[in-house]
Amino acid sequence: MSAKFSNNRVDQLAERLRDDALGNSDAEELREVIRHHPAARRRLVEQLYLSAELKEGISRLNLAGKPEIDRKHGPQLVGGLLLAAAAAIALWIWSPWTGPVEQAIPEDVAVVVDPTEMDSQGIAVISQFSQVVWGEGTTLPEERLMHGEPVGDGVIDLVEGLVQIDFYSGATVVIEGPALFHLKNPQLSHLEHGSLWAHVPPAARGFRVDSRVFEVIDHGTEFGIKVTPDGDGEVHVMDGEVEVRKTDGPVGSEHRLKTGEGIHYDKVGSTKRIQTRPTEFPAAGKLSQDARKRFREWSEYQRRLVQDPDVVVAYTFPRSASWQRELKNQASAAPAMSEGAIVGCKWTKGRWPGKGALAFDNSSHRVRLNLPGTFRDLTLACWVRIDRIDSKVVSLLHPDTRQERHVHWTLVNAGEQSWQLNFADSGPNESGQKDRRYYFSEKNVRLLTEPGEWVHLAVVYDSEARELRHYVNGEEIKVAPIEEPRELAIGFSDIGNWPYEEWAKGTEWEVRNLNGAIDEFLIVQDAWDSAKIREVWSAGRP
């Protein structure tokens, strides 16, 4: 993508389009994106097509007989044209047919889409999950499943837990483990065994789920399917109508089922009509209920936590506009001017449904902050998702090292695919010269061997106990002695990166950026004990 159409700029234009706030120059940029920039056009489609706002925008379109765009009406009409174009692009990409939907695109917004773009879009996303354990038969990348990123043709082997899948066709499926489920395309999936609940709106009519013995063809409905490992199965229609037939059955052998009706198939294809039993499919309601309950509990806990007078920085990453570049400090005791400045990072999904987080994915991405003052005790804690580690050091919090006093908190390569947490403080010694003290944890292979999972990290500098404590997911993993406590300072620092010194340029130590995401970052002017760290982790775990 050219500099003119960076991801941030495309996101900002999409936001303005949804809010009916386009200017004439904005509209011209969007025309340029759609006509000539495939990568930017893909991002625009992702921002618009997969949102409820697009549907509302399309419903308002009335392009027939419009005069040439004038200055007064230009932004609104161009917005309509571009929405139609974006919808047409999306329909072409995800359409089950082989050709583009040319007639849906206004003549003055001609679009050519490279067929190779289709694969990058995927066919569905995982929108919710609860207590999942993935099995060895899973062929889709687990990090994409956990992050709600697009996935394509592949198998989900769910040992236990609940997973909600949103297909690009509009169909929503919830599977309950143990289950083996194959996503094939936006309109077709295969349930080898397990329990499945599906909601199919009119726009996704024709959505199909097959098994070894039978297949279900939707006609705009809500239904459940159960399939045993032997191949026996049942179909229950909670609302609407479906067509059920043997997988290899002749035309005319299908069964039409309506609300309240069901059918049982044995493994050889014999059938028996049954009554629908909705209570056997609690997965969808339970998933939604569990997620809402956990989110409410965490929100209430967080509200109390940020009122603690010792919490001086609480970046909680509420869902925000993609172009928002200031990270608000939610702590009630926040010092003046302690908001974070977002540099390059993209807003993404957090560890809770409906919550935001910041994604870091290159060496320029960071959150810049300035926290004045000194601290005798200090606690740092964050929820972080580590997608990959491809450098010697990964920065969680790193200072501008030209300051007299500073601390840094990092992951350090310990060799042989082992990683350690490290905290260091720098300041003048008794003779007035600057020295640095390092406090390493034990080797922690888990951070590298299970990428893509949200993990809670914390470190506590306890001057009274004269010890430095490292924590992972609420568990104390290392206590290091502090021989001589001293005042600590943060000052100008980066979260997820570092303001590197000249000596590091061209060396293996130059790159220290995080590749992943951060969903919560706390700085506390107190030494929290192990019970408090575990409490914070327990309240916030997804």
Side-chain angles (χ1 to χ4, degrees):
M1 186 184 303
S2 69
K4 180 179 179 182
F5 297 120
S6 65
N7 285 346
N8 287 339
R9 181 56 180 158
V10 173
D11 293 349
Q12 187 180 48
L13 291 172
E15 188 83 17
R16 291 179 181 177
L17 180 57
R18 288 194 294 258
D19 293 341
D20 291 328
L22 280 177
N24 283 339
S25 61
D26 296 330
E28 287 304 316
E29 284 188 82
L30 277 175
R31 281 181 178 273
E32 180 72 12
V33 165
I34 289 181
R35 284 172 168 164
H36 303 300
H37 296 267
R41 183 170 63 240
R42 284 200 304 272
R43 188 172 186 88
L44 180 65
V45 170
E46 291 170 0
Q47 293 291 322
L48 296 178
Y49 187 80
L50 299 180
S51 69
E53 288 88 348
L54 177 63
K55 184 176 181 180
E56 294 177 6
I58 292 175
S59 69
R60 295 194 303 266
L61 289 178
N62 182 12
L63 302 178
K66 290 289 184 182
E68 184 175 348
I69 298 170
D70 58 26
R71 184 175 182 83
K72 178 179 178 181
H73 302 291
Q76 290 78 14
L77 183 52
V78 173
L81 291 171
L82 292 169
L83 276 172
I89 297 165
L91 285 170
W92 191 92
I93 291 172
W94 297 310
S95 169
W97 298 286
T98 58
V101 189
E102 298 176 347
Q103 295 177 349
I105 306 174
E107 292 182 359
D108 69 331
V109 191
V111 178
V112 178
V113 180
D114 184 348
T116 61
E117 295 178 17
M118 293 179 65
D119 292 339
S120 67
Q121 298 297 325
I123 62 176
V125 295
I126 304 301
S127 58
Q128 293 190 71
F129 51 84
S130 176
Q131 301 177 333
V132 298
V133 176
W134 308 111
E136 295 181 355
T138 299
T139 62
L140 294 168
E142 291 181 16
E143 61 271 19
R144 298 186 73 84
L145 296 173
M146 300 292 285
H147 299 167
E149 297 179 2
V151 294
D153 185 342
V155 174
I156 292 177
D157 181 5
L158 188 64
V159 177
E160 62 182 70
L162 302 169
V163 171
Q164 178 173 313
I165 306 167
D166 294 346
F167 286 86
Y168 284 175
S169 62
T172 296
V173 167
V174 177
I175 56 175
E176 182 174 8
L180 192 65
F181 185 72
H182 185 179
L183 295 79
K184 294 187 175 182
N185 65 49
Q187 286 285 93
L188 175 63
S189 58
H190 174 85
L191 181 64
E192 183 66 16
H193 66 80
S195 177
L196 172 153
W197 170 91
H199 171 71
V200 186
R205 183 171 180 170
F207 181 77
R208 291 167 52 208
V209 180
D210 63 26
S211 71
R212 280 176 285 171
V213 177
F214 62 89
E215 64 178 359
V216 180
I217 304 169
D218 164 78
H219 292 278
T221 190
E222 184 175 324
F223 62 90
I225 301 175
K226 285 183 177 291
V227 177
T228 69
D230 291 334
D232 294 350
E234 294 181 348
V235 180
H236 299 251
V237 181
M238 273 67 86
D239 184 39
E241 182 180 357
V242 302
E243 177 184 330
V244 188
R245 62 189 178 202
K246 289 182 63 176
T247 301
D248 57 354
V251 176
S253 63
E254 64 273 5
H255 299 268
R256 291 272 181 164
L257 303 179
K258 296 184 178 181
T259 302
E261 298 177 341
I263 194 168
H264 173 87
Y265 276 82
D266 65 23
K267 58 187 176 183
V268 296
S270 299
T271 64
K272 179 177 67 175
R273 290 281 185 142
I274 59 176
Q275 290 293 115
T276 293
R277 300 187 300 275
T279 55
E280 292 195 13
F281 299 90
K286 184 175 185 299
L287 182 62
S288 179
Q289 185 179 32
D290 286 352
R292 289 195 301 269
K293 181 173 181 290
R294 290 288 295 137
F295 186 79
R296 286 195 304 269
E297 292 172 347
W298 170 78
S299 297
E300 177 58 26
Y301 180 84
Q302 183 197 64
R303 186 187 65 79
R304 298 193 305 270
L305 185 67
V306 300
Q307 298 299 317
D308 185 331
D310 289 324
V311 177
V312 292
V313 171
Y315 295 145
T316 59
F317 301 90
R319 182 179 288 278
S320 182
S322 58
W323 46 264
Q324 182 66 43
R325 297 291 93 188
E326 183 178 87
L327 190 58
K328 183 174 175 57
N329 185 356
Q330 304 284 350
S332 61
M337 309 298 290
S338 58
E339 285 75 19
I342 301 171
V343 181
C345 305
K346 297 177 292 186
W347 285 97
T348 187
K349 295 180 179 179
R351 67 191 192 279
W352 299 102
K355 189 184 180 306
L358 277 185
F360 300 70
D361 58 19
N362 68 48
S363 58
S364 67
H365 290 184
R366 65 196 71 207
V367 172
R368 183 73 162 169
L369 74 147
N370 178 25
L371 186 64
T374 59
F375 310 94
R376 184 158 183 81
D377 296 305
L378 191 66
T379 298
L380 305 175
C382 72
W383 279 97
V384 61
R385 190 190 75 213
I386 300 170
D387 295 338
R388 68 181 190 278
I389 302 177
D390 49 16
S391 59
K392 287 287 186 180
V393 177
V394 175
S395 171
L396 300 172
L397 177 69
H398 213 300
D400 185 329
T401 54
R402 293 168 294 186
Q403 301 170 125
E404 181 185 38
R405 295 178 184 273
H406 54 79
V407 303
H408 69 249
W409 186 27
T410 57
L411 284 167
V412 179
N413 191 338
E416 298 180 356
Q417 294 191 341
S418 296
W419 290 81
Q420 295 173 281
L421 286 164
N422 175 43
F423 178 89
D425 69 272
S426 297
N429 57 21
E430 294 180 354
S431 63
Q433 295 180 327
K434 190 174 181 180
D435 74 332
R436 183 172 299 165
R437 301 169 183 172
Y438 297 92
Y439 305 91
F440 288 92
S441 72
E442 301 298 339
K443 294 179 180 180
N444 190 356
V445 179
R446 203 184 88 80
L447 293 175
L448 184 63
T449 56
E450 297 185 21
E453 180 182 353
W454 287 106
V455 60
H456 188 260
L457 304 177
V459 63
V460 176
Y461 187 97
D462 190 335
S463 62
E464 183 176 350
R466 294 198 171 204
E467 60 185 29
L468 189 290
R469 301 187 292 271
H470 289 285
Y471 296 86
V472 176
N473 285 338
E475 295 185 11
E476 183 184 278
I477 62 169
K478 176 68 176 182
V479 178
I482 300 174
E483 295 182 4
E484 187 62 39
R486 62 181 173 190
E487 289 188 331
L488 308 176
I490 292 175
F492 289 97
S493 298
D494 284 349
I495 294 174
N497 216 317
W498 77 305
Y500 57 81
E501 289 186 343
E502 291 297 319
W503 65 264
K505 286 189 175 181
T507 73
E508 62 182 354
W509 306 101
E510 177 180 356
V511 178
R512 304 187 182 190
N513 63 286
L514 167 69
N515 288 297
I518 293 178
D519 186 357
E520 189 175 286
F521 201 101
L522 302 177
I523 302 177
V524 186
Q525 57 181 1
D526 187 24
W528 279 353
D529 59 21
S530 295
K532 182 66 173 181
I533 296 294
R534 187 165 186 84
E535 175 188 298
V536 171
W537 163 76
S538 180
R541 60 180 174 174

